[in-house]
Amino acid sequence: PSESPHTPSTTMPAGLLSRAPPAASRAQLLASISATSARAASTLAAGWARTAAGLPAPTPVPGEPEHVKIKTDEVPGPRSRALLAEMNAVQDPRSVHLFWDMKKSKGNYIHDADGNAVLDVIGHIGSLPLGYNHPDVVAASKSDEWGPHLAQRPALGFCPPADWPDKIRDVFYAVAPKGLAEVVTTCGCGASAVENAMKVAFIYKRNIIRGSDTPSKEDTESCMTNDVPGSPDLAMLSFKGGFHGRTLGALSCTRSKSIHKVDFPAFPWPMVDFPQLKYPLSENHAVNKREEDRCLQLVEECIKTYPMPIAGLLVEPILSEGGDLHASPRFFQELRRITRENEVLLIADEVQTGVGGTGKFWAHEHWELEGDYPDIVTFAKKMQASGLYMKTSLRPPQPYRIYGTWMGDPLRVLQCEIVSKTIEKYNLLDNANQTGDFIMSGLRQLGEVYQENVHNVRGTGTFIAFDSDTGASRDKLLAFMRTHGVHTLGCGDRSIRLRPSLIFGPKHAVEFLSILEDAIVAVRK
């Protein structure tokens, strides 16, 4: 299972969820488990419940279910299958995991079209900050301030509302990464943020090479025929396993899955290896340092020897689609040194990692850069709005260089405002850290009992992943969990990742861990 289908079909697709086998009830399943395994499961689950009961919990969303409720024998059920057929007549539904009821879904539980209440641990691929129908967001949406933005959408770079400067300052500067005092809002997706970040990097590098921030007559004429020097031979450097979007520029830096890239023209830009750390980290300091040093050497060599000048280095704080790959703060500190010394912009792609899931508002805060911050930080997903923060020195000297009709969406900015205020109001960064520690502890306990199914547990906050022994066994775990009420995704070749909302608490973690253990026992039979 992944975000993209791998096998084209001319028949009515049943959706990724329907690849799971028909589900026996959990009671029937547990009745077939050996007495030893059942006792082990009971012991772990009871211990998790006791621990969770003593931990602070986020304020629950009114109407949130007490637990998973599965009404249909199969997931998706009959109504969802009918919707898949309807959608297939007008749009390709092969990536659809489920249809959901937007009114009935509450908190951390998504109600599907068949009335099943499913624990959502993937949060719309990491883009759901406060769960479903959070009362603070619902109340804000009914305010007079939101109404005019529902009636019309302005071209913000052309005719912004009179309060737009205040909104930029109050919303975006309130959560701005350190050292970055300029913000650009884009059309809504992460790829648009990345595309514009790369354009900023190319302007920066071209100005250095040209020795001027004003394009020459030759530049302006040659660019119209896609020729040098106006369309220069410049490159972006990215990492193997990284994901930066599906638009053509961003796609040239995306290296996670071939299905994203095949058949599309790409820029001849380089990639280098990202560290493949060994776990547990506490037992592998020396080997992991050697691995990081090897990759750092590749970065430096590429910047200095690649036939095209490198304008920017694009890196996710955690390489998400590629398998939730982590590196140490020292690794990123060295990336900052190398890029600074070689006049290459360091771009932190925080589209998936930003806005609290890692226990800090921005994941690159974990790099401990101490004043020497990234040059650009991109955002989207949990932020609701999309765009980039950058150093003020990077603003192009000419207008219209970084521009578009929409230049953002005021309605999404209002969502962003209430999200950031709610995070602070309820101390949700603390909750992400506490709940994340609890989940990691539970996963490590499972790994001690079922090592081949749960190992390489890694993460920060609730931005967590673990590996199964093979991709096939990982897929079986995901299939079982879906049919028994847990919605999440894989990443990389054999990893399962978690991207819950920021109101995901210890109680929800216990339910997730318990159903995961049921799945492990089932696939091991």
Side-chain angles (χ1 to χ4, degrees):
S2 66
E3 291 180 33
S4 298
H6 288 262
T7 306
S9 174
T10 57
T11 61
M12 199 294 287
L16 293 182
L17 275 178
S18 66
R19 296 178 186 174
S25 70
R26 292 183 68 201
Q28 290 173 322
L29 172 71
L30 290 175
S32 68
I33 298 174
S34 69
T36 300
S37 295
R39 282 195 299 272
S42 176
T43 300
L44 283 177
W48 295 328
R50 285 193 300 270
T51 301
L55 295 174
T59 302
V61 170
E64 181 185 71
E66 286 296 318
H67 50 74
V68 164
K69 296 178 182 178
I70 301 299
K71 297 180 178 180
T72 57
D73 292 334
E74 297 180 358
V75 177
R79 176 57 181 154
S80 296
R81 290 182 182 278
L83 288 170
L84 284 166
E86 291 178 27
M87 185 173 175
N88 188 55
V90 294
Q91 192 176 71
D92 185 355
R94 285 175 290 178
S95 64
V96 171
H97 278 225
L98 56 79
F99 293 93
W100 62 289
D101 188 315
M102 297 181 72
K103 292 183 179 180
K104 291 183 179 179
S105 297
K106 304 287 184 182
N108 292 285
Y109 294 85
I110 183 169
H111 279 250
D112 72 8
D114 292 281
N116 298 309
V118 176
L119 182 65
D120 190 355
V121 190
I122 196 61
H124 292 251
I125 319 174
S127 64
L128 191 71
L130 301 175
Y132 296 99
N133 289 303
H134 192 284
D136 289 37
V137 180
V138 172
S141 71
K142 297 176 181 178
S143 70
D144 293 340
E145 187 177 16
W146 288 47
H149 297 300
L150 292 168
Q152 55 265 313
R153 181 179 178 180
L156 290 170
F158 180 61
C159 293
D163 66 348
W164 189 237
D166 288 340
K167 281 299 175 189
I168 291 287
R169 181 179 58 251
D170 296 344
V171 177
F172 290 108
Y173 278 72
V175 294
K178 291 182 179 179
L180 305 185
E182 178 107 351
V183 66
V184 176
T185 50
T186 59
C187 70
C189 66
S192 67
V194 170
E195 290 284 344
N196 282 286
M198 292 191 296
K199 289 168 70 176
V200 171
F202 291 137
I203 294 171
Y204 162 83
K205 196 68 170 184
R206 186 70 183 119
N207 288 346
I208 292 174
I209 294 171
R210 184 170 45 223
S212 169
D213 62 11
T214 302
S216 68
K217 185 174 184 293
E218 184 182 13
D219 291 331
T220 58
E221 290 178 349
S222 60
C223 75
M224 299 307 293
T225 55
N226 296 341
D227 292 322
V228 296
S231 296
D233 290 329
L234 297 175
M236 295 294 300
L237 176 58
S238 58
F239 286 98
K240 183 178 181 180
F243 181 90
H244 302 286
R246 294 181 175 87
T247 51
L248 285 180
L251 195 59
S252 292
C253 295
T254 288
R255 316 284 187 167
S256 56
K257 295 184 180 74
S258 62
I259 194 66
H260 301 319
K261 296 173 67 74
V262 66
D263 292 335
F264 304 131
F267 292 104
W269 296 345
M271 74 171 179
V272 294
D273 292 344
F274 192 81
Q276 303 287 315
L277 300 186
K278 293 186 178 297
Y279 294 87
L281 296 177
S282 59
E283 298 176 10
N284 291 282
H285 288 299
V287 67
N288 285 339
K289 183 178 184 299
R290 287 194 298 271
E291 170 66 358
E292 290 188 339
D293 287 343
R294 180 186 70 85
C295 295
L296 289 166
Q297 184 177 357
L298 292 175
V299 170
E300 194 153 20
E301 289 176 353
C302 182
I303 289 173
K304 291 180 176 180
T305 64
Y306 198 71
M308 296 180 187
I310 305 296
L313 172 61
L314 189 59
V315 61
E316 302 164 87
I318 301 168
L319 270 62
S320 303
E321 301 298 322
D324 267 30
L325 306 179
H326 292 249
S328 71
R330 184 190 71 91
F331 176 79
F332 291 104
Q333 292 162 13
E334 283 298 292
L335 286 184
R336 175 69 283 189
R337 177 190 64 78
I338 293 168
T339 52
R340 181 185 65 251
E341 291 178 356
N342 290 278
E343 296 182 314
V344 171
L345 295 190
L346 178 60
I347 303 172
D349 185 354
E350 291 253 31
V351 166
Q352 189 160 158
T353 56
V355 195
T358 68
K360 294 184 181 292
F361 200 92
W362 300 108
H364 74 268
E365 294 177 52
H366 293 284
W367 298 355
E368 303 170 3
L369 292 178
E370 297 182 359
D372 197 5
Y373 304 113
D375 299 294
I376 300 174
V377 173
T378 60
F379 60 85
K381 286 191 181 277
K382 276 188 172 71
M383 195 79 160
Q384 307 304 289
S386 73
L388 58 113
Y389 291 95
M390 64 184 184
K391 294 179 177 177
T392 54
S393 60
L394 295 175
R395 177 190 288 190
Q398 302 86 14
Y400 298 104
R401 305 295 302 277
I402 308 297
Y403 185 74
T405 297
W406 295 127
M407 293 300 292
D409 180 351
L411 188 61
R412 303 307 162 197
V413 173
L414 292 173
Q415 285 183 295
C416 178
E417 180 177 33
I418 192 62
V419 165
S420 60
K421 287 181 177 179
T422 303
I423 290 172
E424 182 177 12
K425 176 181 176 181
Y426 295 103
N427 299 314
L428 294 181
L429 297 183
D430 290 343
N431 178 66
N433 284 312
Q434 171 193 271
T435 302
D437 288 345
F438 179 74
I439 295 171
M440 296 265 284
S441 175
L443 289 172
R444 291 190 179 107
Q445 288 177 300
L446 286 172
E448 292 174 0
V449 181
Y450 312 107
Q451 185 173 5
E452 64 269 37
N453 299 105
V454 179
H455 54 271
N456 293 341
V457 176
R458 56 201 181 273
T460 179
T462 54
F463 203 103
I464 293 169
F466 62 92
D467 292 344
S468 193
D469 52 347
T470 66
S473 66
R474 181 271 309 272
D475 292 350
K476 289 178 181 178
L477 290 177
L478 288 170
F480 181 97
M481 286 193 288
R482 284 196 297 270
T483 58
H484 290 76
V486 170
H487 187 217
T488 191
L489 284 175
C491 61
D493 295 328
R494 55 195 179 98
S495 302
I496 291 177
R497 56 175 157 164
L498 313 184
R499 301 290 186 271
S501 75
L502 300 176
I503 61 168
F504 194 88
K507 164 187 174 291
H508 311 102
V510 170
E511 188 166 32
F512 160 71
L513 290 167
S514 300
I515 294 176
L516 171 60
E517 183 166 26
D518 290 351
I520 293 169
V521 172
V523 303
R524 288 164 62 94
K525 287 179 60 181

